[in-house]
Amino acid sequence: MMKCVHCNYKFSFKERMKAGWKPSMNNEVTCPQCGQKQFISNKSLAKSYGLMMFLELIIILLAPMINIPVPLLTILMIVALALVIVFFPMTLKLVAEKDGLLEEQFREMEKKQKGKSL
Protein backbone atom coordinates (compact mmCIF):
# COMPACT_ATOMS: atom_id res chain seq x y z
CA MET A 1 0.00 0.00 0.00
CA MET A 2 1.48 3.32 -1.07
CA LYS A 3 0.84 6.04 1.52
CA CYS A 4 2.07 9.63 1.69
CA VAL A 5 4.83 9.91 4.28
CA HIS A 6 3.61 13.40 5.24
CA CYS A 7 -0.21 13.16 5.47
CA ASN A 8 -0.78 9.37 5.29
CA TYR A 9 -2.91 9.74 2.11
CA LYS A 10 -3.59 6.35 0.51
CA PHE A 11 -2.81 6.48 -3.20
CA SER A 12 -5.47 5.02 -5.49
CA PHE A 13 -4.71 2.14 -7.85
CA LYS A 14 -4.55 4.55 -10.80
CA GLU A 15 -2.14 6.89 -8.96
CA ARG A 16 0.10 3.93 -7.99
CA MET A 17 0.15 2.69 -11.59
CA LYS A 18 1.07 6.16 -12.82
CA ALA A 19 3.85 6.55 -10.23
CA GLY A 20 5.23 3.05 -10.69
CA TRP A 21 5.29 2.99 -14.47
CA LYS A 22 6.14 6.57 -15.39
CA PRO A 23 8.75 6.66 -18.17
CA SER A 24 11.54 8.43 -16.28
CA MET A 25 14.33 7.63 -13.85
CA ASN A 26 13.03 10.27 -11.44
CA ASN A 27 11.47 8.50 -8.44
CA GLU A 28 9.74 11.66 -7.22
CA VAL A 29 6.03 11.45 -6.40
CA THR A 30 3.82 14.39 -5.40
CA CYS A 31 0.95 13.72 -3.02
CA PRO A 32 -2.38 14.82 -4.56
CA GLN A 33 -3.74 15.71 -1.12
CA CYS A 34 -0.97 17.71 0.59
CA GLY A 35 1.25 18.50 -2.41
CA GLN A 36 4.42 17.33 -0.63
CA LYS A 37 7.13 15.59 -2.62
CA GLN A 38 8.40 12.16 -1.66
CA PHE A 39 10.32 9.41 -3.38
CA ILE A 40 9.79 5.79 -4.31
CA SER A 41 12.16 3.77 -2.15
CA ASN A 42 15.09 2.30 -4.10
CA LYS A 43 14.97 -0.70 -1.79
CA SER A 44 11.34 -1.44 -2.66
CA LEU A 45 12.13 -0.95 -6.36
CA ALA A 46 14.98 -3.45 -6.14
CA LYS A 47 12.77 -5.98 -4.34
CA SER A 48 10.00 -5.55 -6.90
CA TYR A 49 12.32 -5.92 -9.88
CA GLY A 50 13.97 -8.93 -8.23
CA LEU A 51 10.60 -10.58 -7.69
CA MET A 52 9.64 -9.90 -11.29
CA MET A 53 12.85 -11.45 -12.62
CA PHE A 54 12.56 -14.41 -10.23
CA LEU A 55 9.03 -15.19 -11.44
CA GLU A 56 10.09 -15.14 -15.09
CA LEU A 57 13.19 -17.22 -14.34
CA ILE A 58 11.15 -19.89 -12.53
CA ILE A 59 8.82 -20.22 -15.52
CA ILE A 60 11.75 -20.48 -17.94
CA LEU A 61 13.57 -23.06 -15.82
CA LEU A 62 10.51 -25.21 -15.10
CA ALA A 63 9.29 -25.28 -18.71
CA PRO A 64 11.77 -27.91 -19.99
CA MET A 65 11.46 -30.02 -16.83
CA ILE A 66 7.73 -30.52 -17.15
CA ASN A 67 7.65 -30.41 -20.97
CA ILE A 68 5.53 -27.30 -21.42
CA PRO A 69 4.87 -26.75 -25.14
CA VAL A 70 6.09 -23.45 -26.59
CA PRO A 71 2.60 -21.98 -27.21
CA LEU A 72 1.60 -22.68 -23.59
CA LEU A 73 4.92 -21.29 -22.36
CA THR A 74 4.30 -18.13 -24.35
CA ILE A 75 0.85 -17.76 -22.80
CA LEU A 76 2.29 -18.36 -19.29
CA MET A 77 4.95 -15.70 -19.86
CA ILE A 78 2.32 -13.20 -21.06
CA VAL A 79 0.11 -13.93 -18.04
CA ALA A 80 3.10 -13.60 -15.69
CA LEU A 81 4.05 -10.30 -17.31
CA ALA A 82 0.47 -9.00 -16.97
CA LEU A 83 0.45 -9.97 -13.28
CA VAL A 84 3.76 -8.20 -12.74
CA ILE A 85 2.46 -5.05 -14.46
CA VAL A 86 -0.58 -4.99 -12.19
CA PHE A 87 1.10 -5.96 -8.90
CA PHE A 88 4.42 -4.09 -9.30
CA PRO A 89 3.02 -0.68 -8.20
CA MET A 90 1.37 -2.35 -5.19
CA THR A 91 4.77 -3.33 -3.77
CA LEU A 92 6.30 0.15 -3.83
CA LYS A 93 6.91 2.21 -0.70
CA LEU A 94 7.43 5.95 -0.38
CA VAL A 95 10.13 7.66 1.67
CA ALA A 96 10.66 11.32 2.59
CA GLU A 97 14.20 11.52 1.15
CA LYS A 98 15.88 9.63 -1.65
CA ASP A 99 17.35 6.44 -0.28
CA GLY A 100 20.15 4.36 -1.64
CA LEU A 101 23.89 4.30 -1.23
CA LEU A 102 24.74 7.23 -3.51
CA GLU A 103 22.16 9.55 -1.97
CA GLU A 104 23.48 8.78 1.53
CA GLN A 105 27.04 9.51 0.41
CA PHE A 106 26.00 12.80 -1.18
CA ARG A 107 24.18 13.87 2.01
CA GLU A 108 27.27 13.03 4.09
CA MET A 109 29.48 15.04 1.72
CA GLU A 110 27.10 18.02 1.96
CA LYS A 111 27.17 17.85 5.77
CA LYS A 112 30.96 17.78 5.80
CA GLN A 113 31.17 20.71 3.38
CA LYS A 114 28.74 22.75 5.49
CA GLY A 115 30.76 21.95 8.62
CA LYS A 116 34.02 23.15 6.99
CA SER A 117 32.49 26.39 5.68
CA LEU A 118 31.15 27.39 9.13
Side-chain angles (χ1 to χ4, degrees):
M1 177 70 59
M2 234 168 81
K3 291 183 182 180
C4 176
V5 296
H6 303 287
C7 70
N8 219 20
Y9 171 78
K10 293 178 184 175
F11 284 78
S12 70
F13 178 76
K14 185 179 178 181
E15 292 164 339
R16 285 181 279 179
M17 290 294 280
K18 185 178 177 182
W21 292 109
K22 67 181 175 182
S24 84
M25 294 303 290
N26 183 5
N27 291 348
E28 190 175 286
V29 177
T30 303
C31 176
Q33 184 170 328
C34 69
Q36 294 289 322
K37 292 184 181 180
Q38 53 228 314
F39 302 91
I40 296 173
S41 167
N42 285 334
K43 292 175 187 175
S44 72
L45 275 175
K47 286 179 185 176
S48 299
Y49 284 131
L51 181 64
M52 180 173 28
M53 290 180 63
F54 181 71
L55 177 66
E56 297 291 332
L57 183 66
I58 292 294
I59 292 173
I60 291 170
L61 292 176
L62 286 179
M65 290 181 197
I66 55 177
N67 295 326
I68 297 176
V70 174
L72 181 59
L73 178 63
T74 305
I75 291 170
L76 283 175
M77 294 295 279
I78 291 170
V79 168
L81 182 63
L83 289 173
V84 165
I85 288 171
V86 170
F87 288 112
F88 174 73
M90 308 258 187
T91 62
L92 300 177
K93 289 178 72 178
L94 296 176
V95 291
E97 291 183 355
K98 286 186 177 183
D99 63 350
L101 186 58
L102 287 177
E103 282 80 12
E104 278 183 38
Q105 289 176 345
F106 287 136
R107 279 196 290 273
E108 289 298 319
M109 287 173 41
E110 286 176 359
K111 287 179 186 176
K112 288 178 183 177
Q113 296 244 339
K114 286 179 183 177
K116 288 180 182 179
S117 65
L118 294 176

